[in-house]
Amino acid sequence: MDNLILLILGLFISVLGITNIKGNISTIHSYNRRKVKEEDIPRYGKVVGTGTLIMGVSFILGYIALFWSETAMAVIILPGVVVGLGFMLYGQFKYNKGIF
C-alpha cells in the first residue's frame, strides 16, 4: 500500500506541474506568486512547473524501480527532488524576488 501511495503522489504532482507549465499558476500558493509580474507569469509557470514535474516523474520512476531495489528507488527520487526544488527555487527568486 505504501508503494501505491508513491505512485499516486507522483501522478498528482506531475499533473500539477503540467498545469503550471501551461500557464495556470493558481495551484501555487498566493504568497509564493504575489510579486510575479503579469508578463512573467508564463515563464514563472514554466520554471516552477518544470521543477514540480521533475519531482512527480521521479516519484513515478521510483515506484517502478522499487520492484527491483529500494536502493534504486532512492537513487532516482533523491536527485529528482533536489533538481526539482532547484528549479522551483530559481523561479521563486527570479520572478517572485524571494521565497515569500
Side-chain angles (χ1 to χ4, degrees), residues 28-36 44 92 96 99-100:
I28 301 169
H29 199 280
S30 62
Y31 64 78
N32 283 332
R33 58 184 162 91
R34 69 176 171 220
K35 297 178 190 171
V36 178
Y44 174 73
Q92 282 300 113
N96 194 48
I99 295 176
F100 302 108

Side-chain angles (χ1 to χ4, degrees), residues 61-73:
L61 293 175
Y63 170 78
I64 294 169
L66 192 58
F67 291 110
W68 290 280
S69 164
E70 284 191 25
T71 305
M73 178 195 70

Side-chain angles (χ1 to χ4, degrees), residues 49-83:
T50 300
T52 307
L53 184 60
I54 289 170
M55 290 173 57
V57 169
S58 74
F59 287 170
I60 294 168
L61 293 175
Y63 170 78
I64 294 169
L66 192 58
F67 291 110
W68 290 280
S69 164
E70 284 191 25
T71 305
M73 178 195 70
V75 168
I76 292 171
I77 291 178
L78 185 60
V81 169
V82 169
V83 170

Side-chain angles (χ1 to χ4, degrees), residues 8-29 44-57 59-60 88:
I8 293 169
L9 183 63
L11 290 171
F12 178 72
I13 292 173
S14 295
V15 168
L16 285 177
I18 292 168
T19 301
N20 294 151
I21 289 171
K22 290 183 175 183
N24 182 356
I25 62 169
S26 65
T27 60
I28 301 169
H29 199 280
Y44 174 73
K46 284 181 184 170
V47 172
V48 173
T50 300
T52 307
L53 184 60
I54 289 170
M55 290 173 57
V57 169
F59 287 170
I60 294 168
M88 295 168 82

